[in-house]
């Protein structure tokens, strides 16, 4: 039979990012939270972690075919604990894999399954305009870097295509919480 068309979300964006955990960043504490249309299927989409100094891609996370946004329209990608590929300290993680966003200036791109840019967040300065894949590293003006343990959180779901206006530091990260 013909392959079923996927229910792709009309709206999808990076909603919250914890890139610098207190202590080690590579031991199951960092995460990227996506938000969009509830139930939207996002298998095959990619998170691309870019070094903001030179645009070099450091990590790529491809979401599994089963990935879909929750009833609240959220999906949390969490870093795995060292040596434990299916365990993370991030509560409510929907997908656990190994990745380590750098502490800035850097950026994270969200690409659809065709490689098109869906969203990007750049933090810290100075930062490159483009990643080595030829896609923008951020929207508008990058947001300020945050201190360890704080996340960058989208303000009330706002997407003005300007990272500095759309994101604010969150003292207490809230992955998977609407």
């Amino acid at each position: 039979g013909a392959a079923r068309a996927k229910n792709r979300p009309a709206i999808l964006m990076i909603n919250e990012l914890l890139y610098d955990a207190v202590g080690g960043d590579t031991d199951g504490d960092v995460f990227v939270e996506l938000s969009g249309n509830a139930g939207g299927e996002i298998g095959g989409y990619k998170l691309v972690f870019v070094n903001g100094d030179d645009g070099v891609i450091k990590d790529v996370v491809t979401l599994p075919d089963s990935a879909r946004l929750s009833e609240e329209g959220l999906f949390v990608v969490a870093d795995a604990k060292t040596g434990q590929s299916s365990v993370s300290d991030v509560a409510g993680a929907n997908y656990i894999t190994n990745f380590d966003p750098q502490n800035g200036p850097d950026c994270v791109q969200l690409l659809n399954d065709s490689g098109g840019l869906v969203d990007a967040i750049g933090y810290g300065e100075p930062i490159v305009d483009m990643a080595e894949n030829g896609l923008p590293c951020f929207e508008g003006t990058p947001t300020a870097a945050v201190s360890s343990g704080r996340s960058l959180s989208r303000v009330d779901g706002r997407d003005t295509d300007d990272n500095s206006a759309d994101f604010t530091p969150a003292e207490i990260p809230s992955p998977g919480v609407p």
Side-chain angles (χ1 to χ4, degrees):
R4 181 183 70 83
K6 291 199 183 304
N7 173 27
R8 297 298 193 191
I11 296 170
L12 185 66
M13 56 191 157
I14 297 167
N15 198 52
E16 187 175 4
L17 170 65
L18 175 64
Y19 62 84
D20 185 8
V22 175
D25 297 341
T26 59
D27 198 24
D29 296 311
V30 296
F31 69 87
V32 180
E33 178 187 74
L34 304 177
S35 69
N37 303 104
E41 296 175 77
I42 53 176
Y45 283 44
K46 290 179 170 66
L47 289 170
V48 180
F49 297 89
V50 180
N51 182 327
D53 291 330
D54 56 14
V56 171
I57 293 170
K58 293 300 188 184
D59 269 319
V60 177
V61 170
T62 302
L63 300 181
D65 284 342
S66 61
R68 89 172 357 139
L69 296 162
S70 68
E71 291 305 308
E72 291 84 30
L74 300 176
F75 189 88
V76 177
V77 179
D79 181 45
K81 289 185 75 63
T82 303
Q84 300 178 70
S85 60
S86 62
V87 179
S88 176
D89 290 331
V90 178
N94 299 101
Y95 181 58
I96 298 171
T97 189
N98 270 307
F99 63 96
D100 179 22
Q102 295 179 288
N103 293 346
D106 294 298
C107 65
V108 180
Q109 299 170 327
L110 173 61
L111 308 184
N112 64 23
D113 57 330
S114 306
L117 186 69
V118 175
D119 197 17
I121 176 175
Y123 49 92
E125 292 189 76
I127 190 170
V128 297
D129 290 337
M130 293 284 175
E132 67 180 340
N133 60 9
L135 298 172
C137 212
F138 55 89
E139 295 180 343
T141 309
T143 189
V146 291
S147 53
S148 290
R150 292 184 176 211
S151 65
L152 289 168
S153 188
R154 196 171 282 275
V155 180
D156 300 326
R158 182 166 68 200
D159 189 7
T160 66
D161 294 332
D162 183 357
N163 290 162
S164 64
D166 293 344
F167 288 89
T168 188
E171 199 163 325
I172 300 170
S174 60
V177 179

